């Protein structure tokens, strides 16, 4: 199996996993709150941006993942608690 084919398969699986996470978050928020919350994808994108910014600043991948996730968790908590209820 060539390296190009292997990389294409891995890229496809990664994209499928990302789309699954985004779609399952939309489904979960709609089923629990009965509100179509389309910010799930925007939070995913913003978390990636924050994580990448922290990674470039600190050169620590784990710190970037943690800070990006925690920032988006805090923002999502604020949105759910004060804007959607």
């Amino acid at each position: 199996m060539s390296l190009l084919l292997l990389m294409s398969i891995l890229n496809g699986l990664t994209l499928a996993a990302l789309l699954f996470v985004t779609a399952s978050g939309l489904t979960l928020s709609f089923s629990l709150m009965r509100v179509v919350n389309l910010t799930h994808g925007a939070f995913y994108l913003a978390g990636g941006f924050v994580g990448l910014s922290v990674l470039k600043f600190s050169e620590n991948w784990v710190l970037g993942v943690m800070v990006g996730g925690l920032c988006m968790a805090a923002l999502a908590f604020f949105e759910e608690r004060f804007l959607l209820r």
Side-chain angles (χ1 to χ4, degrees):
M1 190 181 320
S2 71
L3 184 61
L4 182 62
L5 180 62
L6 180 64
M7 291 302 293
S8 295
I9 290 171
L10 289 176
N11 283 337
L13 289 173
T14 303
L15 180 60
L18 294 175
L19 291 173
F20 172 75
V21 167
T22 305
S24 64
L26 177 63
T27 302
L28 184 63
S29 66
F30 180 67
S31 65
L32 291 177
M33 296 186 296
R34 299 287 185 227
V35 173
V36 177
N37 184 6
L38 296 177
T39 59
H40 188 263
F43 283 164
Y44 186 82
L45 178 69
F49 177 75
V50 170
L52 183 63
S53 299
V54 171
L55 173 68
K56 289 195 181 241
F57 180 74
S58 70
E59 296 182 1
N60 189 348
W61 185 82
V62 175
L63 183 65
V65 170
M66 296 289 284
V67 170
L70 289 174
C71 285
M72 291 307 105
L75 187 61
F77 176 77
F78 174 79
E79 180 199 22
E80 192 271 331
R81 186 65 59 188
F82 297 111
L83 298 177
L84 292 177
R85 283 195 181 209

